Amino acid sequence: MTSPGPEQNGLRLSPFRGVRYVAERVRSLAAVTSPPYDVVVRPDGLLHLENADPHNIVRLILPQGESPAVRDERAARTLRAWLADGILAVDERPALYVYEQRGDGILQRGVIGALRLSEPSEGVVLPHEDVIPEVVAERADLLRATAANLEPLLLTYQGPQEEGPGTARVVEKTVRTAPLLATTTEDGFAHRLWAVTDPAEIAEVRADLTERQALIADGHHRWATYLRLKGQHPSPGPWDEGLVLLVDTARFPLRVRAIHRLLPALPLKRALAAMDGAFRVHAVDGPLPHARQALADAAEDGNAFLLTDGTAFHLADRPDPALLARTVPAGPPPAWRSLDATVLHTTLLDHLWHVPDAPGSISYLHDAAAVAEQAARTGGTAVLLHPVTESVVRELAGQGVRMPRKSTSFGPKPATGLVLRDLTV
């Protein structure tokens, strides 16, 4: 990816007065955090989080109610009540926040701040996936009602290799001091957060980041929501910026995983029948980890998918080249045309299965076990994918090419609930 030109000013990150839980007012910090809203498995995961603590952040990011308007208004009332009651408090001084995650063999550190919003054409923040307009509209209504950025999205950038002043120096200096908070969530990840309030250190980070270009790793819908709200509100103003976590993947590489599909109205038997002659399809033995290894092995030679109803597993690979030539658009570059997500959406969903990519017809789940369970519960079909590499993602993003929506899952993702941005302060 090319660096932004001088007229684009690169990444412009600003400090803000973070909103954080008052530890003494909740059962534990771990009990009030949540995965990002689109990773929470509903309904079971949602209920589990709601029951973990009456003040769990899920009541703000996924409020419940009989209509969208009721849900949004409930989240807004809840946020203001928690602030008034001292459950949440606003930090006294504006800060950039250094955030660390450690677990499962991963160490990740980055900086949380309010980032100036930019359109993809500016070449500063590059998306790599399409978004679902209905989801963007839904999230925009929620953020407008609460007047807050409730969770940071995850952006990656490539920092310099050489040592010297900059974001990396400030981050490493900061993590040698006592953190604002430390907690371990039930997934085993340890989280620590520090506030950087020294004007010189903030200026050092900001100067470094103006030379950088970022890739949206996780949070395309949130970024599109930010841009939508920016266009609907006067500028300059608080909607000109959005809450992000910036991670230098030259120092802290992320993992890239697949996002799986649930087709609740498509029984597995019908899905397999429609693929007859179009793919090589054969049964593979379970349990799920064994079947996923078969998928990984097949993916080394081309497009491959694992289909299950929660009990039986079938591997579909070696698609008919003539079928791909007819169904996959010829205009995009070869790297896009050969993506599993591209073949899934153009050849399988559109051409063979006739499943619209719309809420109710298809759901996106990050967890393989969860999507298999949902398939068993609904009588539908789960389609499991193999992850694409980060190098392919960056190659396509640098060309301005969008992958099909929900093609990748970068991680680890920041825990929601450690720091919020209130646009009214």
Side-chain angles (χ1 to χ4, degrees):
M1 295 190 294
T2 58
S3 298
E7 73 283 355
Q8 297 165 325
N9 294 319
L11 300 168
R12 290 171 50 186
L13 193 69
S14 297
F16 67 102
R17 294 176 62 197
V19 175
R20 297 185 294 111
Y21 279 97
V22 177
E24 297 76 15
R25 299 298 308 277
V26 298
R27 186 166 68 84
S28 71
L29 289 175
V32 294
T33 63
S34 164
Y37 80 94
D38 58 341
V39 181
V40 175
V41 178
R42 290 167 264 183
D44 295 345
L46 177 62
L47 293 174
H48 172 73
L49 291 166
E50 287 183 332
N51 292 329
D53 188 283
H55 304 106
N56 189 283
I57 193 69
V58 77
R59 296 180 186 274
L60 301 184
I61 63 172
L62 289 173
Q64 301 302 292
E66 58 270 22
S67 71
V70 169
R71 293 193 289 269
D72 295 342
E73 195 270 337
R74 181 168 294 164
R77 280 203 329 266
T78 300
L79 173 59
R80 298 305 150 191
W82 289 356
L83 285 163
D85 295 343
I87 306 299
L88 295 169
V90 183
D91 286 341
E92 292 184 2
R93 300 173 63 186
L96 296 176
Y97 295 86
V98 171
Y99 176 47
E100 177 189 274
Q101 294 167 275
R102 187 190 296 266
D104 194 24
I106 296 175
L107 171 64
Q108 178 173 289
R109 291 173 179 153
V111 179
I112 296 175
L115 184 68
R116 182 188 72 88
L117 303 182
S118 59
E119 296 290 342
S121 59
E122 297 179 56
V124 176
V125 176
L126 299 180
H128 67 269
E129 289 183 356
D130 287 329
V131 297
I132 304 169
E134 294 86 352
V135 174
V136 174
E138 172 190 283
R139 302 313 292 179
D141 289 342
L142 175 63
L143 266 61
R144 188 185 303 105
T146 57
N149 294 158
L150 301 172
E151 49 186 335
L153 55 88
L154 176 61
L155 303 182
T156 70
Y157 70 98
Q158 297 282 306
Q161 297 295 326
E162 66 275 7
E163 297 290 336
T167 307
R169 191 200 72 82
V170 172
V171 167
E172 295 309 311
K173 176 186 176 184
T174 301
V175 298
R176 293 195 292 269
T177 65
L180 285 176
L181 63 87
T183 189
T184 300
T185 45
E186 64 181 9
D187 59 4
F189 271 81
H191 307 261
R192 296 197 293 172
L193 190 77
W194 296 259
V196 177
T197 57
D198 179 80
E201 292 184 337
I202 290 174
E204 184 175 342
V205 171
R206 298 189 71 189
D208 177 39
L209 291 177
T210 58
E211 303 295 322
R212 313 293 166 215
Q213 177 188 54
L215 173 75
I216 300 177
D218 185 70
H220 283 80
H221 287 87
R222 279 166 280 172
W223 186 257
T225 297
Y226 288 167
L227 291 176
R228 180 186 180 106
L229 290 167
K230 178 180 183 293
Q232 294 173 346
H233 292 83
S235 183
W239 297 100
D240 290 346
E241 298 174 318
L243 186 64
V244 305
L245 166 64
L246 281 161
V247 173
D248 177 0
T249 52
R251 296 172 59 81
F252 303 104
L254 274 65
R255 288 181 178 172
V256 187
R257 291 177 171 161
I259 301 178
H260 311 295
R261 273 63 169 166
L262 172 68
L263 313 176
L266 180 67
L268 179 60
K269 184 177 181 180
R270 193 195 313 163
L272 296 173
M275 301 174 73
D276 185 34
F279 285 72
R280 184 182 71 167
V281 180
H282 60 278
V284 294
D285 293 332
L288 180 59
H290 183 274
R292 293 187 71 191
Q293 184 58 53
L295 171 63
D297 294 341
E300 294 182 1
D301 297 325
N303 301 120
F305 308 94
L306 182 65
L307 280 63
T308 181
D309 58 1
T311 303
F313 301 95
H314 289 79
L315 182 67
D317 63 356
R318 300 186 185 179
D320 176 13
L323 175 64
L324 296 183
R326 293 198 309 271
T327 56
V328 177
W336 181 90
R337 300 183 72 246
S338 62
L339 289 170
D340 287 340
T342 297
V343 173
L344 172 61
H345 282 259
T346 60
T347 304
L348 285 170
L349 291 174
D350 292 349
H351 183 76
L352 295 180
W353 292 338
H354 306 291
V355 174
D357 190 358
S361 297
I362 181 170
S363 298
Y364 298 86
L365 287 85
H366 295 71
D367 184 81
V371 75
E373 291 171 6
Q374 293 283 349
R377 180 179 300 177
T378 62
T381 297
V383 183
L384 281 70
L385 286 78
H386 189 66
V388 66
T389 64
E390 183 176 356
S391 61
V392 170
V393 175
R394 289 189 175 277
E395 174 190 346
L396 291 172
Q399 298 175 45
V401 176
R402 302 285 185 96
M403 298 168 68
R405 60 189 69 169
K406 300 291 186 181
S407 293
T408 61
S409 176
F410 281 82
K413 305 177 190 304
T416 298
L418 297 181
V419 61
L420 290 67
R421 176 174 174 250
D422 185 347
L423 276 64
T424 68
V425 299

